Amino acid sequence: MSQDTLSQVLRSVRLHGAVFYHVEGTAHWVSESPSAGDIASLIMPGAEHMMAYHVLTHGSCWATVVGETPVALQQGDVVVFPRGDPHVMSSQPGLRGQLDMAPYALPRPEQLPFLASRRGQELSMTRLDRDVEPACTTLVCGFFGCDASPFNPLLACLPQLLHVRARQEADDWIAHFIRFALAEATLKRPGGEALLERLSEAMFVELIRRYLEEMPEEHLNWLAGLRDRYVGRALAMLHERPGDPWTIERLSDRVGLSRSALHERFMRFTGYAPMHYLTKWRMQVASGLLRQTAGPVAAIALEVGYESEAAFSRAFRRETGLPPATWRREQAAQGETVV
């Protein structure tokens, strides 16, 4: 890839991490979480899509999407629920808890993270005390937020439960994150909450890289396309210069494949024909410009490759259901800032 396509996508879909809490479980405990969509407005107001994650810092436990097979976690493992499914964390497989929405609406301490202690199904929240003996199981937990529309090609690639196992290398990035998180959780230094948010975003990127590294060769999805010699180059060029006057002929010449071969290969990995994919990505880029700038719609249309404002408006409406100006007003009304 001539450019870092994954980074471009993550920036465009506004990946952000927030709301850390430190969970302690006794010998027998269970915590059942609702769908992320049910609590997003309480945890991350304004986030279009939210994913929960858990980093096991001590002990062992089990994680499962409700109704699916439990997965065993060992110290240093990370589990993410990319699609926001209801899930269970527990000391033993097969346990179910009782959904309780009240904790998500509780006032948060003046500085995160805070301690959420599980004893069976009872939950108590306090400030962390670094002098207290750790419980049988401890986790650092939080959430990732991002846009799902107009187009986020990454979300569809990820499983319901993404389990990344600990590595034993001394320079393991996630092990460093765990140490940072535990230190900030107990020392409560100025800026700690902001630091943890940025670290969690970096951890998400590392998790996706590891998932890609371990993905079997036979997997066919957008992520796998990034490592394909031809599809990866095509994606890099389309993402690097979405406003260029691309045609399938020009793209195939640049990639070094015939039009039909590129079309077939691109479809196999992404599910879209190259020019259809370009249209969807242009709408994602345009949504960012509409949200973050006060530029006229006609200027944004030109920037993403449309000489006609009317043609751009039709394409944008097909992807979002709204004309660009209306979409911008609705985003502003939801609390987004346009400068």
Side-chain angles (χ1 to χ4, degrees), residues 224-267:
L226 294 183
R227 66 186 181 190
D228 180 79
R229 175 182 177 183
Y230 299 104
V231 175
R233 287 185 64 196
L235 285 169
M237 287 186 282
L238 296 180
H239 279 263
E240 181 183 359
R241 305 183 67 87
D244 280 13
W246 290 106
T247 63
I248 186 63
E249 291 82 5
R250 182 186 178 199
L251 187 63
S252 62
D253 285 345
R254 296 284 296 275
V255 168
L257 277 180
S258 69
R259 289 177 297 171
S260 59
L262 177 60
H263 180 277
E264 187 276 333
R265 198 177 189 94
F266 200 97
M267 282 281 296

Side-chain angles (χ1 to χ4, degrees), residues 34-42 47-51 83-86 101:
S35 164
D38 293 339
I39 57 174
S41 62
L42 301 172
E48 189 174 14
H49 183 76
M50 193 174 77
M51 303 171 270
R83 301 181 190 176
D85 293 297
M101 302 293 286

Side-chain angles (χ1 to χ4, degrees), residues 290-291 320-338:
L290 288 166
R291 182 188 294 112
T320 67
L322 294 172
T326 305
W327 187 91
R328 172 186 264 171
R329 286 194 298 271
E330 290 203 355
Q331 292 294 306
Q334 292 171 10
E336 301 292 343
T337 300
V338 177

Side-chain angles (χ1 to χ4, degrees), residues 9-211:
V9 169
L10 291 173
R11 282 193 294 267
S12 178
V13 301
R14 300 188 301 161
L15 174 73
H16 55 285
V19 189
F20 284 85
Y21 54 99
H22 190 85
V23 174
E24 291 190 350
T26 56
H28 186 78
W29 62 275
V30 58
S31 177
E32 181 158 343
S33 300
S35 164
D38 293 339
I39 57 174
S41 62
L42 301 172
I43 301 295
M44 282 185 165
E48 189 174 14
H49 183 76
M50 193 174 77
M51 303 171 270
Y53 72 87
H54 307 274
V55 183
L56 186 59
T57 58
H58 178 73
S60 61
C61 68
W62 294 78
T64 182
V65 172
V66 172
E68 302 295 331
T69 304
V71 173
L73 306 183
Q74 301 299 322
Q75 184 168 317
D77 287 7
V78 184
V79 62
V80 185
F81 298 90
R83 301 181 190 176
D85 293 297
H87 61 276
V88 178
M89 305 292 294
S90 59
S91 56
Q92 300 172 16
L95 298 181
R96 291 293 301 272
Q98 293 180 351
L99 284 179
D100 182 5
M101 302 293 286
Y104 300 103
L106 289 175
R108 296 172 192 163
E110 71 280 5
Q111 188 174 359
L112 297 175
F114 58 88
L115 172 63
S117 182
R118 280 281 178 188
R119 297 180 182 278
Q121 293 189 14
E122 293 184 6
L123 176 68
S124 61
M125 296 186 183
T126 59
R127 291 193 63 170
L128 276 169
D129 184 349
R130 58 177 171 169
D131 295 325
V132 174
E133 186 75 18
C136 296
T137 305
T138 59
L139 303 102
V140 173
C141 309
F143 300 89
F144 302 117
C146 66
D147 295 337
S149 62
F151 184 50
N152 184 338
L154 178 61
L155 286 180
C157 302
L158 301 178
Q160 285 183 292
L161 185 156
L162 174 57
H163 176 206
V164 176
R165 292 175 175 83
R167 292 180 176 176
Q168 302 305 315
E169 293 90 340
D171 61 348
D172 179 35
W173 201 97
I174 293 177
H176 292 315
F177 169 81
I178 292 172
R179 286 194 289 273
F180 270 115
L182 290 177
E184 295 299 334
T186 54
L187 297 176
K188 299 290 185 183
R189 293 177 292 188
E193 185 176 337
L195 175 62
L196 287 174
E197 290 172 2
R198 301 292 83 78
L199 286 172
S200 71
E201 294 162 14
M203 181 183 70
F204 181 83
V205 178
E206 176 65 13
L207 295 174
I208 298 304
R209 291 197 300 195
R210 292 193 188 182
Y211 178 64

Side-chain angles (χ1 to χ4, degrees), residues 207-226:
L207 295 174
I208 298 304
R209 291 197 300 195
R210 292 193 188 182
Y211 178 64
L212 178 58
E213 289 170 4
E214 298 170 3
M215 186 183 296
E217 289 294 328
E218 64 270 16
H219 276 212
L220 298 174
N221 57 32
W222 180 83
L223 266 177
L226 294 183

